[in-house]
Amino acid sequence: GWHMLAALTMGQALARRLEVDLDRRTGLFNRGGLESALSRMKSSRASLLVLDIDRLQSVNQMHGMAAGDAAILSMARLLAPPLLPAGALAARTMGDQFAVVLPDTDTTQAADIGVKLQNAAGRIQPGLPDDPSPMTLTIGVVEIDDTRKPFDRFAIDADTALKLAKDRGRS
């Protein structure tokens, strides 16, 4: 009796914590979950990719929210091995925005992974069947020189890098 009750409340507490840390729609971390996972990371250095699905608003407007949701889910599925190395942390931080932390990866290696993600995203056509244009991603890459520093500091830099990339032309 009592033991089962204790296990149940522990399970409920864990489920609640997971719910707090996960993005319900994709099963990836949310921003808070990414931050707490980063603070538990063994590596002290990493790279951060911030990825934005280009023209998701227009996909939603032209093809409905279901097409936009499908695009978000397709994107979320890419953020795992084999495209990401084991140990990478992936999160959906906002509507069409994702973040990936790559432990022990410098920005050159991280940019290469970003290109692989862009290529894989290019095989997704969010507006099918009437709009065959492929999904494109714009990506900002920054170095995390110390995983113990507040995540916000790196997130702000990555957002700036992302905006610069968008200004130069999406994808």
Side-chain angles (χ1 to χ4, degrees):
W2 181 83
H3 291 288
M4 214 159 111
L5 188 68
L8 191 68
T9 47
M10 259 168 60
Q12 284 169 331
L14 182 65
R16 238 196 316 275
R17 203 176 91 214
L18 282 175
E19 220 168 81
V20 170
D21 282 351
L22 295 182
D23 170 57
R24 272 220 177 93
R25 188 163 287 153
T26 60
L28 299 174
F29 284 120
N30 58 25
R31 192 185 166 120
L34 182 66
E35 283 182 38
S36 56
L38 182 65
S39 68
R40 294 190 298 272
M41 193 183 270
K42 301 270 184 285
S43 327
S44 59
R45 302 171 74 88
S47 285
L48 171 64
L49 297 178
V50 176
L51 309 98
D52 203 272
I53 301 174
D54 297 323
R55 22 168 244 109
L56 193 67
Q57 268 62 46
S58 65
V59 168
N60 281 334
Q61 282 157 8
M62 286 163 59
H63 311 288
M65 297 299 275
D69 278 355
I72 286 166
L73 286 172
S74 304
M75 182 63 226
R77 275 188 218 108
L78 297 180
L79 299 180
L83 288 172
L84 295 186
L89 307 173
R92 180 180 175 209
T93 47
M94 287 193 300
D96 58 355
Q97 209 172 84
F98 296 83
V100 176
V101 174
L102 300 161
D104 300 313
T105 307
D106 66 31
T107 49
T108 308
Q109 294 165 314
D112 289 344
I113 291 169
V115 170
K116 284 187 187 130
L117 289 168
Q118 284 178 321
N119 292 338
R123 293 192 280 276
I124 297 168
Q125 294 167 314
L128 274 178
D130 39 347
D131 170 13
S133 50
M135 182 192 286
T136 60
L137 303 176
T138 301
I139 304 180
V141 184
V142 295
E143 181 195 2
I144 295 179
D145 60 353
D146 183 353
T147 50
R148 290 177 304 263
K149 286 182 187 168
F151 178 71
D152 271 357
R153 181 180 303 190
F154 305 111
I156 289 164
D157 288 348
D159 277 335
T160 306
L162 181 70
K163 284 190 186 77
L164 285 171
K166 276 197 187 284
D167 291 346
R168 288 190 200 143
R170 290 160 192 274
S171 190

mmCIF file of all heavy atoms in Angstrom, residues 11 20-21 29 41 55 57 101 103 107 111 114 122 142 165 171:
data_model
loop_
_atom_site.group_PDB
_atom_site.id
_atom_site.type_symbol
_atom_site.label_atom_id
_atom_site.label_comp_id
_atom_site.label_asym_id
_atom_site.label_seq_id
_atom_site.Cartn_x
_atom_site.Cartn_y
_atom_site.Cartn_z
ATOM 1 N N GLY A 11 6.345 9.357 -9.309
ATOM 2 C CA GLY A 11 6.070 9.308 -10.742
ATOM 3 C C GLY A 11 5.307 10.536 -11.200
ATOM 4 O O GLY A 11 5.617 11.122 -12.235
ATOM 5 N N VAL A 20 6.774 20.339 -17.502
ATOM 6 C CA VAL A 20 7.259 21.711 -17.390
ATOM 7 C C VAL A 20 8.448 21.924 -18.334
ATOM 8 O O VAL A 20 8.621 22.982 -18.895
ATOM 9 C CB VAL A 20 7.648 22.016 -15.919
ATOM 10 C CG1 VAL A 20 8.387 23.327 -15.804
ATOM 11 C CG2 VAL A 20 6.393 22.036 -15.051
ATOM 12 N N ASP A 21 9.270 20.871 -18.485
ATOM 13 C CA ASP A 21 10.506 20.994 -19.253
ATOM 14 C C ASP A 21 10.350 20.712 -20.742
ATOM 15 O O ASP A 21 11.262 20.933 -21.504
ATOM 16 C CB ASP A 21 11.565 20.016 -18.711
ATOM 17 C CG ASP A 21 12.194 20.552 -17.429
ATOM 18 O OD1 ASP A 21 11.936 21.712 -17.076
ATOM 19 O OD2 ASP A 21 12.928 19.791 -16.782
ATOM 20 N N PHE A 29 12.691 19.602 -25.672
ATOM 21 C CA PHE A 29 12.707 20.514 -24.538
ATOM 22 C C PHE A 29 12.003 21.813 -24.911
ATOM 23 O O PHE A 29 11.985 22.195 -26.090
ATOM 24 C CB PHE A 29 14.148 20.888 -24.151
ATOM 25 C CG PHE A 29 14.897 19.823 -23.409
ATOM 26 C CD1 PHE A 29 16.070 19.303 -23.927
ATOM 27 C CD2 PHE A 29 14.441 19.354 -22.182
ATOM 28 C CE1 PHE A 29 16.780 18.326 -23.242
ATOM 29 C CE2 PHE A 29 15.149 18.383 -21.490
ATOM 30 C CZ PHE A 29 16.317 17.858 -22.017
ATOM 31 N N MET A 41 24.951 19.682 -17.862
ATOM 32 C CA MET A 41 25.841 19.109 -18.879
ATOM 33 C C MET A 41 27.257 18.940 -18.345
ATOM 34 O O MET A 41 27.769 19.805 -17.647
ATOM 35 C CB MET A 41 25.846 20.041 -20.102
ATOM 36 C CG MET A 41 26.470 19.433 -21.326
ATOM 37 S SD MET A 41 26.494 20.633 -22.675
ATOM 38 C CE MET A 41 24.936 20.280 -23.440
ATOM 39 N N ARG A 55 9.454 31.581 -43.590
ATOM 40 C CA ARG A 55 8.093 31.754 -44.147
ATOM 41 C C ARG A 55 7.043 30.828 -43.541
ATOM 42 O O ARG A 55 6.119 30.413 -44.210
ATOM 43 C CB ARG A 55 8.040 31.664 -45.687
ATOM 44 C CG ARG A 55 9.114 30.976 -46.431
ATOM 45 C CD ARG A 55 8.830 30.693 -47.895
ATOM 46 N NE ARG A 55 8.790 29.266 -48.161
ATOM 47 C CZ ARG A 55 7.689 28.566 -48.456
ATOM 48 N NH1 ARG A 55 6.527 29.134 -48.581
ATOM 49 N NH2 ARG A 55 7.765 27.264 -48.650
ATOM 50 N N GLN A 57 4.886 31.739 -41.324
ATOM 51 C CA GLN A 57 3.650 32.539 -41.274
ATOM 52 C C GLN A 57 2.890 32.418 -42.585
ATOM 53 O O GLN A 57 1.682 32.223 -42.590
ATOM 54 C CB GLN A 57 3.966 34.022 -40.993
ATOM 55 C CG GLN A 57 3.953 34.401 -39.525
ATOM 56 C CD GLN A 57 4.997 33.646 -38.710
ATOM 57 O OE1 GLN A 57 6.152 33.523 -39.118
ATOM 58 N NE2 GLN A 57 4.606 33.116 -37.557
ATOM 59 N N VAL A 101 21.832 22.683 -28.536
ATOM 60 C CA VAL A 101 23.129 22.812 -27.875
ATOM 61 C C VAL A 101 23.958 21.581 -28.231
ATOM 62 O O VAL A 101 23.505 20.448 -28.058
ATOM 63 C CB VAL A 101 22.970 22.934 -26.343
ATOM 64 C CG1 VAL A 101 24.339 22.914 -25.659
ATOM 65 C CG2 VAL A 101 22.216 24.211 -25.977
ATOM 66 N N PRO A 103 27.330 19.771 -27.356
ATOM 67 C CA PRO A 103 28.447 19.735 -26.418
ATOM 68 C C PRO A 103 29.777 19.475 -27.127
ATOM 69 O O PRO A 103 29.811 18.755 -28.132
ATOM 70 C CB PRO A 103 28.122 18.565 -25.480
ATOM 71 C CG PRO A 103 26.854 17.972 -25.951
ATOM 72 C CD PRO A 103 26.388 18.676 -27.171
ATOM 73 N N THR A 107 32.283 26.270 -33.252
ATOM 74 C CA THR A 107 31.277 26.889 -34.133
ATOM 75 C C THR A 107 31.421 26.420 -35.582
ATOM 76 O O THR A 107 30.431 26.367 -36.307
ATOM 77 C CB THR A 107 31.354 28.427 -34.065
ATOM 78 O OG1 THR A 107 32.706 28.844 -34.227
ATOM 79 C CG2 THR A 107 30.824 28.936 -32.735
ATOM 80 N N ALA A 111 28.388 24.827 -37.435
ATOM 81 C CA ALA A 111 27.876 25.362 -38.704
ATOM 82 C C ALA A 111 27.707 24.233 -39.727
ATOM 83 O O ALA A 111 26.736 24.225 -40.494
ATOM 84 C CB ALA A 111 28.811 26.442 -39.236
ATOM 85 N N GLY A 114 24.626 22.575 -38.939
ATOM 86 C CA GLY A 114 23.560 23.467 -39.389
ATOM 87 C C GLY A 114 23.263 23.295 -40.872
ATOM 88 O O GLY A 114 22.099 23.234 -41.285
ATOM 89 N N GLY A 122 15.379 20.958 -46.555
ATOM 90 C CA GLY A 122 15.088 21.223 -47.964
ATOM 91 C C GLY A 122 14.316 20.099 -48.641
ATOM 92 O O GLY A 122 13.745 20.298 -49.711
ATOM 93 N N VAL A 142 26.439 30.352 -32.223
ATOM 94 C CA VAL A 142 27.359 31.019 -31.292
ATOM 95 C C VAL A 142 28.058 29.982 -30.424
ATOM 96 O O VAL A 142 27.566 28.866 -30.245
ATOM 97 C CB VAL A 142 26.667 32.060 -30.379
ATOM 98 C CG1 VAL A 142 26.122 33.226 -31.172
ATOM 99 C CG2 VAL A 142 25.585 31.427 -29.524
ATOM 100 N N ALA A 165 21.754 36.853 -40.159
ATOM 101 C CA ALA A 165 21.609 35.855 -41.239
ATOM 102 C C ALA A 165 20.348 36.146 -42.052
ATOM 103 O O ALA A 165 20.366 36.083 -43.275
ATOM 104 C CB ALA A 165 21.571 34.457 -40.659
ATOM 105 N N SER A 171 17.535 31.414 -45.343
ATOM 106 C CA SER A 171 18.209 30.154 -45.625
ATOM 107 C C SER A 171 19.723 30.285 -45.423
ATOM 108 O O SER A 171 20.510 29.771 -46.185
ATOM 109 C CB SER A 171 17.904 29.680 -47.057
ATOM 110 O OG SER A 171 18.384 28.364 -47.218
#
